[in-house]
Amino acid sequence: MREPEVWSRAGRWPASEYYDGRLLTGAEAVVLSKTMLAGAEFWCRLVTDIIEVHVAEEAIYVGTAEPELGNLLSLVAERVDSSPYVIDRRNFPYYMPADETFWSELRRGLSSGMQEMLILQQWAAGPAGERWYRVVSTGDLETVRRNVIPRAVYAVFRSPGLVRRREALNQPASTVVAEEALLANVRIFHDLSESPLMVDNVANEAELEHIWGSLDDRGALFLWTDDAVVSYAAQPDADGQVRAAVSFQ
């Protein structure tokens, strides 16, 4: 399984089971392909040494490194030059391992006077594939480190510039978020003391204003801007190697 993308909040796609690099039997792959065809809650590539499968809404694209498709010829199939879901692997970002060096550097940042940071842990696309943590102490940092998701990627925002609800109590969200900002980059946290944070993303301006107006003084808004100070890492496998193929969405 490669590049899992979860587009549903439902618990039917637990990250501990559906993660990049999971091995599936042939029967499991067939069942999963049928499920992906039936709905749009989950997507991934299925890959072996000789076959790669891409599932679309109305078709399954099968690529092979062998000159003949063998048993696949029994399928009702049409030959095409390539799948529209082929990924340019050269443009995938490289993530450093979230190893002891990575966590030690973050601890040093906290001890040097950094007031807070936000850490996004993402293992699939969509709101069901991410966790957000506010870190103000080494204890908070250890909480993030203990909540391991296999092959997850991390984005660490230093001095993230959270807009507290108590500081902007009488301001509408439209004055807090710049007009040109992408709403997909907005996250609203209901209680900054929670771990992980209870978070909402918004689809339109009406939803943004409604959620912002419902917050109390423990809530805050975060906007991921192009000038954010952010560093990336990935949860390594047991041998220390990074094999995550997930790219931040």
Side-chain angles (χ1 to χ4, degrees):
M1 180 182 294
R2 292 299 184 196
E3 289 93 42
E5 297 182 6
V6 181
W7 296 102
S8 170
R9 290 181 181 273
R12 60 181 297 192
W13 302 111
S16 59
E17 297 182 23
Y18 296 94
Y19 56 87
D20 182 82
R22 176 186 170 181
L23 296 177
L24 300 173
T25 66
E28 289 172 334
V30 170
V31 171
L32 182 57
S33 296
K34 290 180 178 178
T35 304
M36 288 190 289
L37 274 172
E41 294 181 337
F42 179 84
W43 184 87
C44 70
R45 292 190 303 128
L46 300 174
V47 179
T48 74
D49 290 340
I50 60 172
I51 292 176
E52 183 165 328
V53 178
H54 303 167
V55 179
E57 291 183 3
E58 298 179 352
I60 296 179
Y61 295 86
V62 180
T64 178
E66 293 188 337
E68 296 295 334
L69 292 178
N71 293 334
L72 293 175
L73 290 175
S74 62
L75 299 174
V76 178
E78 174 186 352
R79 289 184 181 272
V80 295
D81 292 335
S82 65
S83 162
Y85 300 95
V86 169
I87 294 175
D88 183 359
R89 307 298 303 175
R90 295 171 300 177
N91 291 331
F92 258 66
Y94 169 77
Y95 298 118
M96 64 178 290
D99 54 13
E100 185 57 45
T101 299
F102 169 76
W103 298 108
S104 295
E105 192 274 331
L106 295 184
R107 282 195 293 270
R108 285 195 296 272
L110 290 172
S111 62
S112 65
M114 185 183 300
Q115 293 184 342
E116 65 181 350
M117 65 178 73
L118 279 180
I119 297 181
L120 166 60
Q121 184 186 46
Q122 189 177 74
W123 59 91
E130 63 181 39
R131 289 177 182 166
W132 288 86
Y133 297 87
R134 176 174 175 259
V135 174
V136 297
S137 67
T138 56
D140 293 336
L141 198 61
E142 289 306 312
T143 297
V144 182
R145 189 174 183 179
R146 286 194 302 268
N147 290 333
V148 174
I149 300 295
R151 298 180 175 177
V153 288
Y154 300 93
V156 180
F157 300 87
R158 292 168 169 80
S159 303
L162 291 166
V163 179
R164 268 72 169 174
R165 179 59 175 159
R166 65 174 180 269
E167 298 169 354
L169 185 59
N170 298 317
Q171 297 183 39
S174 58
T175 64
V176 176
V177 177
E179 291 184 1
E180 67 276 10
L182 295 176
L183 291 181
N185 292 342
V186 174
R187 293 296 183 272
I188 297 179
F189 306 122
H190 290 256
D191 187 341
L192 291 178
S193 65
E194 293 183 331
S195 185
L197 295 169
M198 179 180 175
V199 58
D200 273 309
N201 58 343
V202 294
N204 52 58
E205 292 184 5
E207 193 172 44
L208 172 64
E209 294 291 353
H210 173 73
I211 297 175
W212 173 251
S214 69
L215 298 181
D216 59 23
D217 60 4
R218 295 171 297 178
L221 181 147
F222 171 69
L223 175 62
W224 186 340
T225 61
D226 291 337
D227 58 355
V229 180
V230 56
S231 56
Y232 300 94
Q235 183 67 41
D237 286 346
D239 60 3
Q241 295 297 310
V242 169
R243 297 185 177 91
V246 178
S247 181
F248 269 99
Q249 302 293 322

